[in-house]
C-alpha cells in the first residue's frame, strides 16, 4: 500500500513549491516572452483543426455582414440617385400659383460659379384619361425638355430608344429596341423635346405637336418581363392573371391621352377644369415605382396655357366695348386698351451643381448659396415675387426625406439583426478556446514552470485569438468581395438551377442587384471581426493565466 504520509508530504511540498513559484521573482524567466507567444501561436494555428473552425466562424459572420451591408447600401445609393435623377440638386418652389420673372432668376443662378444650370418647372396634380377609358390621378410636370435635361438626367430616363447591347438576361435578343431602328430614334428625339412629329392630313406637311412623356407604368399596358425590359406592344392582364397583348396601338407611336387640370387664380381660387388631348412622345423609366407610376411630363408652354399661367395682357374694361359699326350684322369692336402685361409663372426652378461628386453636405451648401441669390432676386422684384422668408428652397434629400429615411431605418434594422446573429462567432471562439485551454493544460504548466508570467500566458491566448480574428476577417472579406462583385451572376445561377429569383425583375424595378462595397463599412466590419475573436478568447485566456503550474503539470 502506498505511504499516505509520504504522499501528503509530497503534495504539501508541491503546493508550497507552486506558491513559491508564484511569488518568487528570482526564478528564471523565459528570456524572450514575445518570442514564445509568437512561436506557439503559429504552432497552434497550423497544427489543429479547431482553430481553423474558429477562423471559419469569424469568416462567415464577417462575410455575411459585409454582403448585407453592401447590398442594402447599394440599394440606398440607387434609390437616392434615382430620386435625384428627375429633381435636380436644389429646388426653389412656390406651389399652386407659382411666381413670375423666373427667367431673371435663372439668369442670376447660372451666373454663379457654383451653379451649372437651372430650369423652370410647373408641378400640379390632375387627371389623365387613358386610351382604354380609364382615368387616373397623376402628378403633372410642365418642363422645357432641353433645359430640364441640363439640370436632371431626363434624357437618360427616356425608355424607347435604340440600344446596341441586349440586357444580360435577354439571351434570345427579344428586346424590340435592339438595333438602330429609325422609329426608336424618332421617339427618342421627340421625347427630348416633348413633341410628336406627324404628317398633316390636309397639306401633307410635317408638323410637330406638343406631346407628353408619361412614366412607364402610368398607362398600365407595360408589364415587365423576366428579362428586365418591357415588350413594347400594350398588354392587359386577364381575370385568370395572365397577360394578353392588345393589338390596337403602341402608346408612344400612335397613342394619345387626355390631361385634365384645374387652373387657379392669383389668390388660389379654382377657375374651371381644363382638358386637352396630347399625343405620347415617349415614356420614361426612373427606377422608382412611385415616380414611374404617377408622373407625366408635358411641354411647359402647353401646361402654362392650360393653368392660365402664361404671359397675358391686362385690358382696361372700365369704358366698356365700343362697336365700330351701327350695322347689326357688323360685330367689330374697338380694341380695348392694354394696361399692362402679366408675366408667365412657374411653380419651381430646379438647380444643378457644377460638382461631379455631390453629397448631402454639398447640397446644403448649395441651398444656402441659392437662398442668397434668391434674396437678391426678390429685392430686385420687390412685391412681385414671394418673400425670401416664405419661398421653399429644398435639396433633393429634403424632397425625398421620407423615402430615404425609411430605407435607412430598414438598412439599420437589417444590419442590427445580422450583427446580433454574428455574435455567435464570439461564443464559438469562446467554446473552441475553452476546449483548447483544457487540452493544452500541460503546455501551460510547462510555460509557467520555466518562468512565463500569468500575463504572458494570457497574452499568448489573446494573441492566438487575435490571429484567429485576422485570418477569419481576411477570409471573410475575400469571400464577401467575391460574392458582392459576382452577386448578379450568382443570383442568375440560383434562378436557373433552383428556380429561385430573390429579386425578380417583374417585381423590382432594377434588372441588376445593386451593391456598394464601401471601404469604411468594410473596415468597420473587419474591426468587429477582430474584436469578436478577442472577446471570445478573453475568458479562456483568463482561465489559462489562473492555472496553478504544478497542478497543470500533473494534469492528465
Amino acid at each position: 500500500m502506498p505511504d499516505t504520509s509520504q504522499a501528503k508530504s509530497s503534495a504539501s511540498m508541491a503546493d508550497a513549491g507552486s506558491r513559491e513559484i508564484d511569488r518568487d521573482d528570482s526564478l528564471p524567466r523565459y528570456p524572450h516572452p514575445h518570442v514564445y507567444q509568437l512561436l506557439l501561436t503559429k504552432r497552434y494555428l497550423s497544427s489543429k483543426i479547431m482553430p481553423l473552425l474558429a477562423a471559419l466562424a469569424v469568416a462567415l459572420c464577417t462575410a455575411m455582414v459585409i454582403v448585407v451591408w453592401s447590398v442594402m447600401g447599394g440599394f440606398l445609393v440607387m434609390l437616392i440617385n434615382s430620386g435625384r435623377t428627375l429633381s435636380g440638386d436644389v429646388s426653389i418652389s412656390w406651389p399652386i400659383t407659382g411666381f413670375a420673372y423666373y427667367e431673371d432668376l435663372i439668369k442670376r443662378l447660372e451666373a454663379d460659379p457654383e451653379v451649372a444650370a437651372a430650369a423652370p418647372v410647373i408641378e400640379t396634380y390632375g387627371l389623365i384619361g387613358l386610351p382604354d377609358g380609364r382615368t387616373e390621378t397623376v402628378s403633372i410636370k410642365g418642363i422645357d425638355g432641353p433645359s430640364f435635361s441640363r439640370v436632371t438626367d431626363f434624357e437618360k430616363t427616356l425608355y424607347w430608344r435604340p440600344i446596341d447591347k441586349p440586357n444580360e438576361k435577354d439571351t434570345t435578343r427579344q428586346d424590340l429596341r435592339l438595333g438602330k431602328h429609325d422609329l426608336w430614334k424618332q421617339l427618342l428625339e421627340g421625347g427630348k423635346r416633348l413633341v410628336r412629329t406627324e404628317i398633316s392630313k390636309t397639306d401633307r406637311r410635317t408638323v410637330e405637336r406638343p406631346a407628353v412623356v408619361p412614366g412607364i407604368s402610368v398607362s398600365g399596358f407595360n408589364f415587365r418581363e423576366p428579362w428586365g425590359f418591357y415588350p413594347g406592344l400594350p398588354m392587359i392582364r386577364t381575370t385568370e392573371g395572365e397577360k394578353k397583348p392588345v393589338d390596337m396601338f403602341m402608346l408612344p407611336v400612335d397613342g394619345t391621352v387626355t390631361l385634365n387640370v384645374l387652373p387657379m387664380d392669383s389668390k388660389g381660387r379654382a377657375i374651371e377644369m381644363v382638358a386637352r388631348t396630347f399625343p405620347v412622345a415617349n415614356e420614361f423609366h426612373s427606377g422608382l415605382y412611385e415616380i414611374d407610376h404617377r408622373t407625366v411630363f408635358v411641354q411647359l408652354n402647353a401646361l402654362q396655357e392650360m393653368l392660365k399661367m402664361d404671359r397675358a395682357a391686362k385690358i382696361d374694361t372700365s369704358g366698356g366695348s365700343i362697336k365700330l359699326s351701327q350695322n347689326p350684322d357688323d360685330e367689330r369692336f374697338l380694341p380695348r386698351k392694354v394696361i399692362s402685361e402679366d408675366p408667365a409663372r412657374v411653380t419651381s426652378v430646379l438647380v444643378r451643381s457644377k460638382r461631379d461628386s455631390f453629397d448631402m453636405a454639398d447640397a446644403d451648401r448649395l441651398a444656402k448659396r441659392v437662398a442668397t441669390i434668391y434674396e437678391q432676386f426678390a429685392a430686385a422684384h420687390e412685391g412681385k415675387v414671394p418673400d425670401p422668408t416664405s419661398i421653399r428652397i429644398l435639396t433633393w434629400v429634403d424632397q425625398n426625406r421620407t423615402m430615404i429615411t425609411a430605407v435607412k431605418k430598414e438598412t439599420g434594422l437589417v444590419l442590427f439583426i445580422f450583427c446580433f446573429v454574428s455574435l455567435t462567432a464570439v461564443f464559438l471562439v469562446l467554446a473552441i478556446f475553452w476546449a483548447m485551454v483544457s487540452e493544452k493544460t500541460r503546455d501551460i504548466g510547462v510555460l509557467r514552470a520555466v518562468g512565463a508570467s500569468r500575463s504572458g500566458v494570457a497574452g499568448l491566448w489573446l494573441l492566438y485569438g487575435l490571429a484567429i480574428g485576422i485570418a477569419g476577417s481576411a477570409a471573410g472579406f475575400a469571400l464577401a468581395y467575391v460574392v458582392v462583385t459576382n452577386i448578379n451572376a450568382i443570383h442568375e445561377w440560383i434562378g436557373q438551377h433552383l428556380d429561385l429569383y430573390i429579386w425578380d425583375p417583374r417585381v423590382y424595378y432594377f434588372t441588376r442587384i445593386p451593391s456598394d462595397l464601401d471601404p469604411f463599412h468594410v473596415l468597420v466590419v473587419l474591426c468587429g471581426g477582430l474584436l469578436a475573436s478577442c472577446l471570445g478568447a478573453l475568458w479562456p485566456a483568463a482561465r489559462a493565466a489562473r492555472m496553478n503550474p504544478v497542478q497543470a503539470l500533473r494534469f492528465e
Side-chain angles (χ1 to χ4, degrees):
M1 293 183 60
D3 188 349
T4 54
S5 60
Q6 184 177 0
K8 290 180 180 179
S9 175
S10 300
S12 61
M13 289 177 63
D15 293 340
S18 65
R19 289 194 296 272
E20 186 178 359
I21 289 173
D22 288 342
R23 67 171 182 272
D24 189 359
D25 294 334
S26 62
L27 287 172
R29 297 287 182 183
Y30 203 91
H32 302 289
H34 299 297
V35 173
Y36 81 80
Q37 291 174 341
L38 293 174
L39 291 175
L40 287 178
T41 299
K42 180 181 177 183
R43 177 187 172 192
Y44 289 171
L45 280 173
S46 59
S47 60
K48 296 291 183 181
I49 190 66
M50 294 179 71
L52 297 179
L53 293 177
L56 180 61
V58 175
L60 291 177
C61 291
T62 302
M64 178 176 63
V65 176
I66 291 178
V67 170
V68 169
W69 206 345
S70 299
V71 173
M72 293 299 292
F75 177 68
L76 181 61
V77 170
M78 186 199 70
L79 183 68
I80 291 174
N81 290 336
S82 298
R84 186 186 174 197
T85 296
L86 296 175
S87 62
D89 296 325
V90 174
S91 70
I92 308 168
S93 302
W94 189 255
I96 308 296
T97 57
F99 59 94
Y101 307 107
Y102 59 88
E103 299 95 339
D104 182 33
L105 177 60
I106 292 174
K107 185 177 178 181
R108 292 170 182 265
L109 288 168
E110 292 186 340
D112 190 88
E114 291 289 323
V115 176
V121 177
I122 292 180
E123 298 182 60
T124 187
Y125 289 95
L127 303 174
I128 183 171
L130 297 167
D132 62 348
R134 286 181 297 117
T135 301
E136 303 280 353
T137 57
V138 289
S139 170
I140 302 174
K141 295 187 177 184
I143 62 171
D144 172 60
S147 64
F148 189 66
S149 295
R150 293 173 56 220
V151 176
T152 67
D153 294 329
F154 173 66
E155 286 188 10
K156 297 178 181 177
T157 66
L158 294 173
Y159 186 77
W160 302 110
R161 60 173 64 223
I163 59 175
D164 298 324
K165 295 176 61 177
N167 184 298
E168 61 181 11
K169 295 183 179 180
D170 183 18
T171 55
T172 56
R173 300 177 68 88
Q174 298 184 39
D175 197 334
L176 295 177
R177 300 171 299 165
L178 286 169
K180 298 180 180 178
H181 197 285
D182 291 340
L183 173 62
W184 307 126
K185 288 183 179 178
Q186 181 181 343
L187 292 181
L188 178 60
E189 293 304 318
K192 290 179 182 177
R193 298 186 293 120
L194 291 98
V195 296
R196 181 192 279 179
T197 304
E198 296 178 346
I199 305 298
S200 172
K201 295 180 180 178
T202 55
D203 53 9
R204 310 300 298 171
R205 289 188 302 112
T206 301
V207 295
E208 289 186 345
R209 294 177 57 192
V212 299
V213 176
I216 196 74
S217 299
V218 169
S219 67
F221 298 128
N222 294 310
F223 292 91
R224 201 175 177 88
E225 295 292 336
W227 305 278
F229 60 84
Y230 298 90
L233 295 176
M235 311 275 286
I236 60 172
R237 193 177 293 280
T238 64
T239 54
E240 291 80 16
E242 299 178 353
K243 291 178 294 183
K244 177 183 177 182
V246 182
D247 189 16
M248 49 190 294
F249 57 83
M250 182 178 177
L251 204 57
V253 177
D254 53 1
T256 59
V257 298
T258 300
L259 296 184
N260 301 269
V261 296
L262 186 63
M264 302 280 185
D265 63 13
S266 59
K267 296 184 179 180
R269 296 172 298 194
I271 301 176
E272 185 179 358
M273 184 70 80
V274 176
R276 183 172 172 181
T277 300
F278 291 93
V280 177
N282 205 316
E283 291 173 293
F284 74 89
H285 178 232
S286 70
L288 289 181
Y289 178 75
E290 286 303 318
I291 295 178
D292 294 345
H293 185 56
R294 293 292 181 192
T295 306
V296 177
F297 289 105
V298 63
Q299 261 197 359
L300 178 65
N301 295 339
L303 189 57
Q304 282 179 320
E305 291 177 8
M306 295 177 68
L307 292 174
K308 315 298 182 189
M309 297 175 70
D310 55 335
R311 191 182 303 276
K314 282 188 176 180
I315 308 296
D316 181 11
T317 60
S318 59
S321 302
I322 302 175
K323 199 169 184 179
L324 294 178
S325 173
Q326 297 301 320
N327 185 352
D329 297 331
D330 188 355
E331 293 293 333
R332 292 179 299 156
F333 292 88
L334 182 67
R336 293 173 178 171
K337 183 180 179 182
V338 176
I339 302 175
S340 61
E341 191 174 62
D342 275 345
R345 291 170 287 139
V346 295
T347 59
S348 303
V349 169
L350 304 185
V351 182
R352 188 181 187 94
S353 169
K354 277 187 176 177
R355 294 173 182 268
D356 295 332
S357 177
F358 199 72
D359 55 19
M360 296 172 69
D362 293 330
D364 292 336
R365 189 163 46 251
L366 180 62
K368 291 180 181 178
R369 181 58 190 157
V370 168
T372 302
I373 296 173
Y374 185 83
E375 287 180 3
Q376 299 169 357
F377 164 75
H381 301 277
E382 187 174 3
K384 299 178 182 178
V385 296
D387 190 81
T389 58
S390 303
I391 198 83
R392 294 171 56 187
I393 299 178
L394 303 175
T395 66
W396 51 273
V397 177
D398 297 329
Q399 298 175 59
N400 300 282
R401 186 172 296 282
T402 302
M403 182 172 53
I404 293 173
T405 303
V407 174
K408 282 184 175 179
K409 287 182 179 179
E410 291 178 4
T411 303
L413 178 61
V414 171
L415 278 176
F416 173 77
I417 293 173
F418 277 86
C419 289
F420 188 78
V421 172
S422 299
L423 287 178
T424 54
V426 176
F427 297 100
L428 283 173
V429 172
L430 189 152
I432 292 172
F433 272 52
W434 190 273
M436 293 183 66
V437 166
S438 299
E439 183 184 359
K440 300 294 183 183
T441 299
R442 289 184 63 83
D443 290 359
I444 296 171
V446 171
L447 288 174
R448 295 283 289 120
V450 298
S453 63
R454 294 182 185 276
S455 60
V457 172
L460 165 65
W461 289 96
L462 288 177
L463 181 62
Y464 192 25
L466 180 63
I468 293 291
I470 293 174
S473 298
F477 170 69
L479 177 62
Y481 182 82
V482 172
V483 171
V484 171
T485 53
N486 297 279
I487 191 167
N488 285 283
I490 295 172
H491 181 251
E492 187 64 23
W493 186 90
I494 294 175
Q496 291 178 355
H497 293 81
L498 305 179
D499 195 21
L500 176 61
Y501 285 97
I502 301 172
W503 288 277
D504 191 339
R506 290 171 295 187
V507 179
Y508 293 92
Y509 278 72
F510 48 87
T511 57
R512 295 180 59 81
I513 301 172
S515 60
D516 180 28
L517 200 60
D518 191 304
F520 176 73
H521 295 170
V522 172
L523 181 62
V524 170
V525 177
L526 294 183
C527 291
L530 298 180
L531 182 62
S533 298
C534 292
L535 286 176
L538 188 60
W539 194 0
R543 181 193 173 202
R546 289 198 305 270
M547 281 186 179
N548 186 298
V550 176
Q551 292 178 350
L553 287 172
R554 296 171 59 191
F555 178 79
E556 293 294 341

